[in-house]
Amino acid sequence: MRPIVDARLREIETLYRSRFTHFVRVATAVTGDRELALDAVHDAFAGAVRGRRGFRREGPLEAWLWRAVVNAALKAREREVVETRVRRIDVERDGYVTGSGELGAVIAALPERQRLALFLRYYADLDYRGIAVALGVEVGTVSATLSAAHTAVRRALEEVTR
């Protein structure tokens, strides 16, 4: 059993090193704060290393890690005192999701599942199966969620340009 655990640890480390900036981008999008995001990514990976034996191969390891990062970011956000419910985000600045902008405001106003699905699809570049594992939903739910998010964003941006 030990060699499998060590191999899994190496896989986790490889994903951490190769996808760190992507994990931080999504966590920043969820928390609205880069420092909170860094803490969330750290907490998620520390938990993944400790709980690596719990990975049951029901999906890809990367999707399992994404779920850990998203959950850690949600917990970090919940701990923060938030003065306003709508977060204004800007996808232009430094490749991170912070600041303000029309697109950011539209995305911030989406329901949480839609926002998370968008972040995981376009920042993390996960496929529908990976997003499903990360969010703990069915693949069909991911498809419907992304479709609804795209429609909402399109309509809102059309209203802004009128």
XYZ file of all heavy atoms in Angstrom, residues 4-51:
377
model
N 1.726 3.017 -3.450
C 0.597 3.704 -4.076
C 0.411 5.072 -3.434
O 0.211 6.072 -4.111
C -0.688 2.859 -3.949
C -0.559 1.598 -4.800
C -1.913 3.660 -4.370
C -1.664 0.601 -4.593
N 0.483 5.129 -2.115
C 0.334 6.400 -1.404
C 1.435 7.363 -1.814
O 1.199 8.530 -2.070
C 0.316 6.169 0.126
C 0.341 7.484 0.861
C -0.912 5.361 0.520
N 2.662 6.853 -1.910
C 3.770 7.717 -2.317
C 3.582 8.198 -3.752
O 3.901 9.342 -4.069
C 5.096 6.992 -2.155
C 5.439 6.753 -0.689
O 4.873 7.429 0.183
O 6.270 5.879 -0.432
N 3.081 7.330 -4.620
C 2.815 7.735 -6.003
C 1.726 8.810 -6.029
O 1.817 9.782 -6.778
C 2.401 6.533 -6.841
N 0.714 8.654 -5.211
C -0.363 9.636 -5.138
C 0.166 10.967 -4.609
O -0.199 12.031 -5.093
C -1.487 9.115 -4.249
C -2.745 9.950 -4.374
C -3.946 9.309 -3.751
N -4.231 8.050 -4.399
C -4.628 6.956 -3.759
N -4.817 6.978 -2.461
N -4.864 5.836 -4.406
N 1.048 10.897 -3.636
C 1.655 12.111 -3.098
C 2.435 12.835 -4.185
O 2.352 14.053 -4.321
C 2.567 11.769 -1.916
C 3.254 12.939 -1.224
C 2.233 13.924 -0.665
C 4.153 12.415 -0.107
N 3.169 12.076 -4.994
C 3.908 12.693 -6.105
C 2.945 13.317 -7.127
O 3.217 14.392 -7.648
C 4.813 11.658 -6.775
C 6.087 11.375 -5.979
C 7.091 10.576 -6.779
N 6.585 9.276 -7.196
C 6.585 8.168 -6.446
N 7.062 8.214 -5.228
N 6.124 7.038 -6.920
N 1.826 12.646 -7.390
C 0.831 13.204 -8.316
C 0.270 14.521 -7.777
O 0.102 15.478 -8.527
C -0.330 12.227 -8.517
C -0.018 11.019 -9.350
C -1.239 10.112 -9.436
O -2.182 10.472 -10.182
O -1.245 9.073 -8.755
N -0.020 14.542 -6.477
C -0.544 15.757 -5.857
C 0.479 16.874 -5.948
O 0.157 18.012 -6.307
C -0.958 15.485 -4.385
C -2.189 14.575 -4.335
C -1.227 16.798 -3.650
C -2.529 14.056 -2.946
N 1.728 16.557 -5.660
C 2.784 17.570 -5.740
C 2.948 18.089 -7.165
O 3.101 19.297 -7.391
C 4.110 17.006 -5.239
C 5.234 18.030 -5.288
C 6.573 17.495 -4.837
O 6.691 16.291 -4.532
O 7.526 18.298 -4.797
N 2.900 17.194 -8.131
C 3.029 17.591 -9.536
C 1.901 18.532 -9.940
O 2.135 19.561 -10.587
C 3.049 16.349 -10.446
O 4.187 15.555 -10.100
C 3.113 16.733 -11.910
N 0.679 18.207 -9.548
C -0.456 19.074 -9.869
C -0.338 20.417 -9.153
O -0.662 21.464 -9.722
C -1.775 18.386 -9.515
C -2.199 17.304 -10.504
C -3.312 16.451 -9.927
C -2.638 17.949 -11.814
N 0.119 20.397 -7.928
C 0.308 21.638 -7.180
C 1.302 22.536 -7.903
O 1.044 23.729 -8.110
C 0.800 21.325 -5.766
C 1.061 22.547 -4.927
C 0.019 23.179 -4.254
C 2.339 23.072 -4.794
C 0.237 24.299 -3.474
C 2.568 24.194 -4.009
C 1.525 24.798 -3.358
O 1.759 25.912 -2.593
N 2.407 21.979 -8.312
C 3.450 22.775 -8.971
C 3.022 23.253 -10.356
O 3.284 24.392 -10.730
C 4.739 21.978 -9.078
C 5.418 21.753 -7.746
C 6.689 20.907 -7.910
N 7.289 20.567 -6.652
C 8.108 21.364 -5.972
N 8.404 22.547 -6.441
N 8.608 20.969 -4.822
N 2.353 22.401 -11.109
C 2.025 22.744 -12.489
C 0.776 23.605 -12.623
O 0.640 24.354 -13.587
C 1.876 21.481 -13.336
O 0.766 20.724 -12.914
N -0.150 23.526 -11.672
C -1.429 24.224 -11.810
C -1.678 25.253 -10.705
O -2.783 25.764 -10.576
C -2.572 23.194 -11.815
C -2.481 22.136 -12.892
C -2.940 22.600 -14.221
N -4.401 22.621 -14.187
C -5.146 23.293 -15.037
N -4.603 24.004 -15.973
N -6.447 23.277 -14.941
N -0.654 25.558 -9.926
C -0.812 26.454 -8.778
C -1.508 27.753 -9.155
O -2.461 28.170 -8.492
C 0.545 26.733 -8.124
C 0.462 27.684 -6.972
C -0.005 27.248 -5.735
C 0.823 29.015 -7.113
C -0.101 28.118 -4.655
C 0.730 29.893 -6.043
C 0.272 29.442 -4.816
N -1.037 28.429 -10.195
C -1.636 29.721 -10.552
C -3.109 29.570 -10.920
O -3.913 30.456 -10.625
C -0.885 30.413 -11.701
O -0.854 29.559 -12.832
C 0.532 30.782 -11.297
N -3.464 28.452 -11.545
C -4.868 28.214 -11.887
C -5.713 28.008 -10.628
O -6.825 28.529 -10.520
C -4.996 27.005 -12.809
C -4.334 27.211 -14.121
N -3.049 26.776 -14.376
C -4.755 27.835 -15.240
C -2.727 27.117 -15.597
N -3.740 27.764 -16.149
N -5.172 27.252 -9.674
C -5.880 27.045 -8.417
C -6.086 28.381 -7.703
O -7.172 28.657 -7.185
C -5.122 26.070 -7.498
C -5.157 24.642 -7.956
C -3.994 23.983 -8.314
C -6.344 23.934 -8.024
C -4.012 22.662 -8.726
C -6.380 22.610 -8.434
C -5.212 21.972 -8.786
N -5.065 29.211 -7.693
C -5.166 30.510 -7.016
C -6.164 31.414 -7.741
O -6.941 32.121 -7.089
C -3.780 31.186 -6.897
C -3.906 32.617 -6.372
C -2.881 30.370 -5.987
N -6.178 31.396 -9.063
C -7.132 32.223 -9.811
C -8.565 31.875 -9.455
O -9.395 32.754 -9.209
C -6.941 32.057 -11.316
C -5.762 32.779 -11.857
C -5.660 32.578 -13.340
N -4.409 33.129 -13.827
C -3.918 32.883 -15.010
N -4.553 32.083 -15.846
N -2.776 33.427 -15.383
N -8.876 30.590 -9.453
C -10.245 30.181 -9.132
C -10.568 30.497 -7.674
O -11.642 31.013 -7.363
C -10.472 28.687 -9.454
C -11.801 28.202 -8.914
C -10.412 28.475 -10.967
N -9.649 30.212 -6.780
C -9.878 30.519 -5.366
C -10.053 32.022 -5.162
O -10.877 32.453 -4.353
C -8.733 29.978 -4.505
N -9.312 32.833 -5.909
C -9.466 34.289 -5.829
C -10.846 34.698 -6.333
O -11.493 35.566 -5.750
C -8.367 35.004 -6.638
O -7.087 34.629 -6.124
C -8.519 36.519 -6.564
N -11.287 34.055 -7.395
C -12.622 34.351 -7.914
C -13.698 34.009 -6.886
O -14.683 34.727 -6.748
C -12.861 33.579 -9.207
N -13.510 32.948 -6.167
C -14.491 32.519 -5.162
C -14.452 33.421 -3.937
O -15.490 33.847 -3.433
C -14.258 31.048 -4.753
C -15.138 30.656 -3.576
C -14.501 30.113 -5.934
N -13.255 33.737 -3.445
C -13.134 34.507 -2.200
C -13.200 36.012 -2.419
O -13.554 36.750 -1.508
C -11.808 34.201 -1.484
O -10.718 34.616 -2.317
C -11.689 32.733 -1.126
N -12.771 36.458 -3.594
C -12.700 37.891 -3.850
C -11.450 38.537 -3.278
O -11.300 39.745 -3.317
N -10.548 37.725 -2.763
C -9.345 38.249 -2.117
C -8.189 37.290 -2.373
O -8.281 36.108 -2.064
C -9.615 38.382 -0.611
C -8.424 38.938 0.139
O -8.321 40.166 0.256
O -7.610 38.111 0.610
N -7.105 37.812 -2.928
C -5.982 36.946 -3.293
C -5.325 36.296 -2.076
O -4.924 35.140 -2.123
C -4.935 37.720 -4.096
C -3.876 36.793 -4.673
C -3.081 37.470 -5.775
N -2.258 36.514 -6.486
C -1.084 36.069 -6.069
N -0.594 36.484 -4.920
N -0.392 35.219 -6.795
N -5.192 37.022 -0.989
C -4.569 36.444 0.213
C -5.413 35.301 0.772
O -4.887 34.264 1.167
C -4.321 37.515 1.274
C -3.274 38.544 0.875
C -1.932 37.926 0.518
O -1.457 37.048 1.269
O -1.361 38.312 -0.511
N -6.719 35.516 0.818
C -7.610 34.431 1.253
C -7.486 33.240 0.310
O -7.519 32.090 0.737
C -9.067 34.898 1.266
C -9.552 35.695 2.449
C -11.006 36.116 2.244
C -9.417 34.889 3.724
N -7.364 33.537 -0.973
C -7.247 32.474 -1.972
C -5.975 31.659 -1.762
O -6.000 30.426 -1.832
C -7.267 33.071 -3.372
N -4.875 32.345 -1.523
C -3.617 31.631 -1.271
C -3.734 30.726 -0.056
O -3.288 29.569 -0.080
C -2.467 32.632 -1.089
C -2.014 33.360 -2.350
C -1.120 34.540 -1.997
C -1.305 32.405 -3.304
N -4.363 31.236 0.991
C -4.585 30.419 2.194
C -5.477 29.223 1.883
O -5.240 28.114 2.356
C -5.216 31.250 3.311
C -4.248 32.252 3.920
O -3.018 32.115 3.699
O -4.718 33.170 4.616
N -6.515 29.456 1.100
C -7.446 28.375 0.757
C -6.752 27.277 -0.052
O -6.955 26.084 0.196
C -8.645 28.928 -0.020
N -5.923 27.675 -1.012
C -5.191 26.688 -1.817
C -4.245 25.897 -0.917
O -4.172 24.662 -1.006
C -4.437 27.361 -2.984
C -3.495 26.385 -3.677
C -5.436 27.935 -3.984
N -3.551 26.608 -0.037
C -2.657 25.931 0.904
C -3.442 24.934 1.766
O -3.040 23.779 1.916
C -1.951 26.946 1.795
C -1.197 26.325 2.919
N 0.016 25.725 2.749
C -1.518 26.179 4.224
C 0.428 25.226 3.906
N -0.486 25.495 4.816
N -4.557 25.378 2.332
C -5.371 24.507 3.181
C -5.885 23.302 2.407
O -5.892 22.172 2.914
C -6.558 25.273 3.762
C -6.151 26.329 4.772
O -4.974 26.320 5.216
O -7.000 27.176 5.108
N -6.320 23.526 1.169
C -6.856 22.437 0.353
C -5.785 21.382 0.078
O -6.041 20.175 0.196
C -7.405 22.988 -0.965
N -4.601 21.824 -0.272
C -3.544 20.859 -0.584
C -3.008 20.176 0.665
O -2.680 18.991 0.623
C -2.426 21.510 -1.404
C -2.716 21.461 -2.871
C -3.487 22.435 -3.470
C -2.247 20.413 -3.648
C -3.785 22.371 -4.825
C -2.539 20.343 -4.998
C -3.310 21.327 -5.590
N -2.942 20.912 1.765
C -2.519 20.269 3.013
C -3.520 19.188 3.392
O -3.138 18.069 3.780
C -2.402 21.303 4.129
N -4.792 19.493 3.247
C -5.825 18.499 3.526
C -5.775 17.331 2.557
O -5.986 16.172 2.946
N -5.480 17.620 1.290
C -5.396 16.558 0.288
C -4.226 15.616 0.580
O -4.349 14.398 0.435
C -5.256 17.160 -1.111
N -3.108 16.189 0.987
C -1.953 15.347 1.329
C -2.289 14.471 2.533
O -2.026 13.265 2.523
C -0.699 16.221 1.597
C 0.408 15.415 2.259
C -0.211 16.841 0.292
N -2.898 15.080 3.551
C -3.275 14.299 4.736
C -4.331 13.242 4.412
O -4.298 12.138 4.943
C -3.800 15.215 5.842
C -2.721 15.967 6.578
C -3.284 16.667 7.816
N -4.422 17.519 7.522
C -4.347 18.803 7.191
N -3.178 19.396 7.122
N -5.431 19.507 6.950
N -5.267 13.586 3.534
C -6.376 12.679 3.247
C -6.253 11.926 1.935
O -7.251 11.438 1.403
